[in-house]
């Protein structure tokens, strides 16, 4: 989901956690959000491709833009 779509879910309290974790496809970090009904929703671009960031700080900033004040950083491999 795009940043704007995720902001809408957050505003409706549908997202309960933000997680930054290492990407398995690229060298970098991705942002996923735990949905209140279970499962994770990744941050993607408008075409649906998973967004990958060079560092944890930049990835965390995207989670803050969604609305979260705290982000869980998953262990690297």
């Amino acid at each position: 989901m795009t940043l704007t779509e995720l902001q809408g879910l957050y505003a409706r309290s549908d997202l309960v956690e933000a997680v930054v974790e290492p990407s398995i496809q690229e060298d970098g970090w991705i942002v996923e959000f735990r949905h209140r009904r279970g499962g994770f929703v990744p941050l993607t671009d408008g075409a649906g491709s998973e967004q990958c960031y060079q560092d944890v700080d930049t990835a965390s900033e995207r989670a803050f833009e969604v609305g979260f004040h705290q982000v869980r950083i998953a262990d690297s491999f």
Side-chain angles (χ1 to χ4, degrees):
M1 297 191 113
T2 65
L3 186 63
T4 303
E5 292 169 325
L6 289 164
Q7 288 168 332
L9 289 177
Y10 181 83
R12 291 190 301 274
S13 299
D14 285 336
L15 302 177
V16 296
E17 181 182 30
V19 181
V20 171
E21 63 184 18
S23 173
I24 58 173
Q25 297 175 339
E26 297 181 43
D27 185 27
W29 298 84
I30 60 168
V31 186
E32 292 187 320
F33 300 89
R34 185 184 307 274
H35 196 280
R36 68 179 173 84
R37 293 184 190 155
F40 283 94
V41 181
L43 173 59
T44 64
D45 62 17
S49 296
E50 194 171 70
Q51 294 285 90
C52 189
Y53 300 95
Q54 295 281 41
D55 57 64
V56 171
D57 291 336
T58 304
S60 296
E61 284 298 321
R62 298 298 84 79
F64 297 147
E65 288 180 38
V66 168
F68 284 90
H69 300 287
Q70 184 175 333
V71 178
R72 179 168 61 90
I73 310 298
D75 292 335
S76 57
F77 303 112

